[in-house]
Amino acid sequence: MMGTFEASYQQFGTDDSEDTPQGMIHIVPDCGKAAKWNHIEDLDSFFTRVYKYHQRHGFVCMMLQEILELFQFIFVVIFSMFLFNCVDYPVLFKDQPLNSTSNAGGKLTISDVIYPADVCLNRMTGLNWSVIAVAIVFWILRAIKVLYHAFQYWDVKAFFNTALKINDCDLDNVTWHEVQRRLCEVQLEQQICIHKRELSQLDIYHRILRFKNYMVAMVNKSLLPPRFKVPFFGEVVYLSHGLKYNIELLLFWGPWSPFENNWHLKEDYKKVSKRQELASLLSKHILYVAVVNLVLCPLILLWQILYSFFNYAEVLKREPGSLGVRCWSLYGRLYLRHFNELDHELNTRLNRAYRPATKYMNIFTSPVMTVLAKNVVFVSGACLAVLLVLSVYDEDVLTVEHVLTTITILGAVVACFRALIPDEHLVWWPEHLMNAVLAHVHYLPSHWRGHAHTQSVRNEFTQLFQYKATYLLGEMISPIVTPLVLIFYLRSRALDLVDFYRSFTVQVAGVGDVCSFAQMDVRTHGDPTWNQLGPTTWSSVGDAPPEQQQPPPVVPPPYAQAEEGKTELSLIHFTLTNPEWNPPNECEGFVNEVKEQAKRQLFQDIPITVSDDQSLGSVAAGMSTLLARMGVLESSLHQASRFQNNAALGISQPPPLHHAAHASRTEGPILDRHYLHGGFAGGILGAPSLGASVFGLNEPTILGTADPIETTAMDMSINALYLHQLHQRAVQRRGGERSTTTARAAGSSAYSHERLPLLRSPNHLS
């Protein structure tokens, strides 16, 4: 059956024999004249190219981008050499008189401050020529790679146009869900994968996200990234693009990586007896890569400085306050990412959470800094105003030395310090804003609950949601910090990395070796404090009396449990994003039970606590309060209200649907009426009484105008909030046991204490 879950997989780490299951054996079927795309050997690379082709708008856009990046590289190198060697700065700054009789007017021209070509060449040093030589070699390698990509993506273009029957002009109007559905149909016709008859949605995600799932799991188990104690800043989590690139080079696709190819882990990594030997070898490889980084550090650092200057100088001049804008950090994107979540799905979630996250960070103001900022803005603004008025009165004022520079600096100072002054209409609402963030990002440490108003939680959230200036600074120092991290942090974790691969790798039929967490199996990697639902799944704890509660039949060991409910939330997210996927019975029972329990609590007088002082009461008031305060379906509620007002005035047109700019950016299927009725939100919208009480409309209107994209987001948000509520109850129920030092040391019970969250508590930091 389409989309069925392959249960035939083997986990490594227990068998130390030599006859470990081998990798995928490719056998071409005897089928006469094979189709063009029959038996694609490296399906990981092929599906990844198909996904990138869809997300990056087709062949022309992709190749144009890569070609222009080549010219951009040439421009940066040539322009930098020109600025260092061909400009006569003493003459430009009038520190030296111009020795020219042709310039009678005394006004400098461009030719007066630029050396002739032969002088430029003579001024270039050996270091300049070495930089140019390295740049030429790097550019040639990049050009070869671009040419190789051109052939690859031309084949993908033919695949889209011929097999999937999607033209490039239609890519922006087709969702990834539709592309995925057609991929499954092509599999039935042409057998692009010969190891199984049908491809499921999970198979495709496994192929595209094989290495990404490993990274997400390592971050979830606190194996990566490194943490440092920095004076005056506390604990800092460091992860830059350069460090991430080196980690992926070492652990996934490099020549010394543990993977034999894209889909098969080396056999030695599956044997317990080889762990020490492999750890020593991996430690050496990390050292070699770190030494190469140290040798290339000056060139990489120079490139980072020049590229950042050319890229951001104009933006900073035009909008100095842009450095005060926040963005999701690389660490935050990995920490908040679900297993089996594609890039566009993650971006959609984080974009939804951006506004409440920004509002939450903005409510933390320092009274001292506010007073200082107001006075700095007053003084700087007064000086700036005088200079601007004088410049308007007489433009010769601008010719006075450093006046234009002073105006620019004062404008930047005013913009930066004005950002430190809070809005006079600011509302202190930390718990509700944090709940709105949680509704979209789905993962936040449980010890933050009830403490969102504290500075410690704010500081920890900064690790996920940082200033743009902090992000740029981290990237600038990356060439210096990366080799140090590789030597002093990653090398010491070599044995842990080897054990992680052996313990959390499974071989899935027709897919190869994948991270076992990516299977989203609540039996193997679930946490009972996140899935105590009912008899159909684990146990009927919840609100049942203690005498009626039954212990779970199987309890995974603590090291095998994903932290912060990652397994449970990833499973629910994947089923909502891919409603046609058929999970195994246990997982399907868990998902259905979550929906039913959450819906039951909404329709009963059992509140789902949004914060410590606010709960959802009755059905209508509770549902509207939940949606309004967690920011889900905010636009849909506004549209529904406007449509009701229009109806009262006799205007019958329905409110427009606000989809993404391109259909390719949506998380799931756009139009799926069956899912709209069958999902959790669909069940709520399908209730006439609730629909009338919440939206002020009757059932047909709701089902006819509700945005399915927003409905999917609401569905996931409510389920995420419910699971966090369920976990909080379990934590409170077992709080006494978990807090004892004896239980923590002895480990007599798998759940006798609550494990430290990924972002550690303030007590731990102290």
Side-chain angles (χ1 to χ4, degrees), residues 276-387:
Q276 292 291 346
E277 177 184 345
L278 291 173
S280 177
L281 192 61
L282 180 59
S283 178
K284 291 180 182 179
H285 294 161
I286 294 174
L287 179 61
Y288 297 155
V289 173
V291 170
V292 173
N293 276 269
L294 280 175
V295 173
L296 297 178
C297 176
L299 293 177
I300 300 175
L301 182 61
L302 177 63
W303 171 261
Q304 288 276 32
I305 295 174
L306 292 175
Y307 183 80
S308 299
F309 175 78
F310 293 146
N311 198 31
Y312 295 104
E314 190 276 333
V315 176
L316 293 179
K317 180 181 179 300
R318 178 166 38 89
E319 300 178 10
S322 60
L323 289 179
V325 176
R326 292 188 176 270
C327 62
W328 297 102
S329 66
L330 278 180
Y331 164 68
R333 296 179 66 86
L334 287 172
Y335 173 73
L336 299 174
R337 190 169 194 148
H338 291 293
F339 294 122
N340 301 309
E341 183 175 28
L342 293 170
D343 290 341
H344 74 282
E345 298 169 352
L346 174 66
N347 291 335
T348 300
R349 281 201 303 117
L350 297 186
N351 290 343
R352 291 177 184 273
Y354 184 85
R355 285 189 178 182
T358 302
K359 291 179 180 179
Y360 172 76
M361 297 301 291
N362 289 341
I363 65 177
F364 288 89
T365 59
S366 170
V368 175
M369 287 302 301
T370 300
V371 172
L372 294 176
K374 287 182 177 180
N375 284 272
V376 171
V377 169
F378 176 79
V379 175
S380 301
C383 297
L384 179 61
V386 170
L387 290 176

Side-chain angles (χ1 to χ4, degrees), residues 290-555:
V291 170
V292 173
N293 276 269
L294 280 175
V295 173
L296 297 178
C297 176
L299 293 177
I300 300 175
L301 182 61
L302 177 63
W303 171 261
Q304 288 276 32
I305 295 174
L306 292 175
Y307 183 80
S308 299
F309 175 78
F310 293 146
N311 198 31
Y312 295 104
E314 190 276 333
V315 176
L316 293 179
K317 180 181 179 300
R318 178 166 38 89
E319 300 178 10
S322 60
L323 289 179
V325 176
R326 292 188 176 270
C327 62
W328 297 102
S329 66
L330 278 180
Y331 164 68
R333 296 179 66 86
L334 287 172
Y335 173 73
L336 299 174
R337 190 169 194 148
H338 291 293
F339 294 122
N340 301 309
E341 183 175 28
L342 293 170
D343 290 341
H344 74 282
E345 298 169 352
L346 174 66
N347 291 335
T348 300
R349 281 201 303 117
L350 297 186
N351 290 343
R352 291 177 184 273
Y354 184 85
R355 285 189 178 182
T358 302
K359 291 179 180 179
Y360 172 76
M361 297 301 291
N362 289 341
I363 65 177
F364 288 89
T365 59
S366 170
V368 175
M369 287 302 301
T370 300
V371 172
L372 294 176
K374 287 182 177 180
N375 284 272
V376 171
V377 169
F378 176 79
V379 175
S380 301
C383 297
L384 179 61
V386 170
L387 290 176
L388 290 176
V389 170
L390 292 176
S391 300
V392 172
Y393 178 75
D394 189 347
E395 63 181 9
D396 291 336
V397 174
L398 296 176
T399 62
V400 178
E401 189 177 16
H402 300 316
V403 166
L404 190 58
T405 303
T406 304
I407 292 177
T408 304
I409 294 176
L410 288 175
V413 169
V414 170
C416 293
F417 278 87
R418 186 171 289 165
L420 300 176
I421 302 175
D423 185 0
E424 60 181 3
H425 304 294
L426 186 67
V427 178
W428 178 257
W429 220 11
E431 291 294 341
H432 295 286
L433 288 174
M434 182 60 76
N435 186 75
V437 175
L438 176 61
H440 297 299
V441 302
H442 305 158
Y443 299 105
L444 292 177
S446 56
H447 73 270
W448 288 8
R449 185 182 180 88
H451 301 282
H453 61 284
T454 62
Q455 194 69 30
S456 60
V457 171
R458 187 259 186 197
N459 293 337
E460 292 181 19
F461 189 60
T462 304
Q463 303 290 353
L464 306 177
F465 197 57
Q466 60 186 185
Y467 281 117
K468 191 73 172 180
T470 306
Y471 165 80
L472 293 178
L473 179 61
E475 293 297 326
M476 292 282 286
I477 65 175
S478 177
I480 301 173
V481 177
T482 293
L484 301 179
V485 170
L486 294 177
I487 294 173
F488 297 108
Y489 177 81
L490 200 60
R491 286 189 67 200
S492 63
R493 310 303 294 269
L495 183 60
D496 295 333
L497 292 169
V498 172
D499 290 338
F500 184 91
Y501 277 118
R502 187 187 66 258
S503 302
F504 301 120
T505 296
V506 295
Q507 189 178 55
V508 180
V511 177
D513 294 334
V514 300
C515 181
S516 59
F517 287 103
Q519 293 291 95
M520 302 176 296
D521 189 351
V522 292
R523 300 166 301 175
T524 306
H525 296 300
D527 186 343
T529 61
W530 286 87
N531 50 39
Q532 301 180 21
L533 297 172
T536 59
T537 52
W538 288 89
S539 59
S540 83
V541 280
D543 296 306
E547 60 273 8
Q548 298 181 8
Q549 297 179 8
Q550 301 175 359
V554 178
V555 177

Side-chain angles (χ1 to χ4, degrees), residues 601-605 615-628 637 684 687-696:
Q601 288 208 354
L602 281 175
F603 279 89
Q604 292 175 357
D605 197 17
S615 61
L616 303 180
S618 60
V619 174
M623 190 65 191
S624 60
T625 302
L626 175 65
L627 296 180
L637 287 170
I684 294 177
S689 60
L690 185 61
S693 62
V694 176
F695 295 92

Side-chain angles (χ1 to χ4, degrees), residues 131-184:
V131 171
I132 291 176
V134 173
I136 290 175
V137 173
F138 181 78
W139 188 87
I140 292 175
L141 295 177
R142 283 283 301 270
I144 294 174
K145 186 177 180 180
V146 169
L147 184 62
Y148 179 64
H149 284 173
F151 286 103
Q152 284 184 324
Y153 285 109
W154 184 261
D155 183 65
V156 175
K157 172 182 171 64
F159 179 76
F160 265 86
N161 299 158
T162 305
L164 300 183
K165 297 179 175 60
I166 301 175
N167 296 322
D168 284 12
C169 60
D170 297 327
L171 283 175
D172 289 338
N173 301 320
V174 178
T175 65
W176 169 250
H177 181 270
E178 176 64 19
V179 173
Q180 194 171 245
R181 184 185 64 80
R182 298 193 187 191
L183 272 175
C184 296

Side-chain angles (χ1 to χ4, degrees), residues 186-295:
V186 170
Q187 164 67 14
L188 296 176
E189 298 172 359
Q190 301 197 24
Q191 286 294 291
I192 56 180
C193 174
I194 64 172
H195 306 285
K196 54 194 309 184
R197 171 63 179 165
E198 298 179 355
L199 280 177
S200 70
Q201 291 81 1
L202 186 59
D203 293 338
I204 298 174
Y205 275 71
H206 274 333
R207 297 279 190 178
I208 299 174
L209 299 169
R210 190 187 304 269
F211 297 152
K212 186 69 71 175
N213 282 328
Y214 274 103
M215 278 291 289
V216 173
M218 290 177 183
V219 171
N220 181 255
K221 300 301 290 183
S222 300
L223 192 58
L224 295 173
R227 300 170 181 274
F228 304 103
K229 288 275 190 174
V230 180
F232 306 109
F233 291 96
E235 189 176 54
V236 175
V237 181
Y238 182 79
L239 183 63
S240 64
H241 279 95
L243 177 59
K244 181 171 175 284
Y245 177 86
N246 280 275
I247 291 175
E248 292 175 345
L249 172 69
L250 286 162
L251 299 183
F252 302 122
W253 54 267
W256 298 323
S257 75
F259 282 85
E260 187 174 317
N261 48 46
N262 282 343
W263 61 85
H264 181 56
L265 189 70
K266 292 178 181 176
E267 295 300 323
D268 287 347
Y269 278 84
K270 304 171 184 177
K271 303 172 184 176
V272 178
S273 61
K274 295 282 187 178
R275 59 191 295 267
Q276 292 291 346
E277 177 184 345
L278 291 173
S280 177
L281 192 61
L282 180 59
S283 178
K284 291 180 182 179
H285 294 161
I286 294 174
L287 179 61
Y288 297 155
V289 173
V291 170
V292 173
N293 276 269
L294 280 175
V295 173

Side-chain angles (χ1 to χ4, degrees), residues 14-33:
T14 56
D15 186 8
D16 196 25
S17 62
E18 294 297 323
D19 53 348
T20 308
Q22 299 298 313
M24 300 171 61
I25 303 176
H26 299 278
I27 304 174
V28 180
D30 185 11
C31 54
K33 185 178 180 180

Side-chain angles (χ1 to χ4, degrees), residues 87-104:
V87 179
D88 191 348
Y89 290 103
V91 174
L92 177 64
F93 298 140
K94 294 184 179 181
D95 295 333
Q96 176 180 314
L98 178 63
N99 298 325
S100 177
T101 57
S102 60
N103 192 354

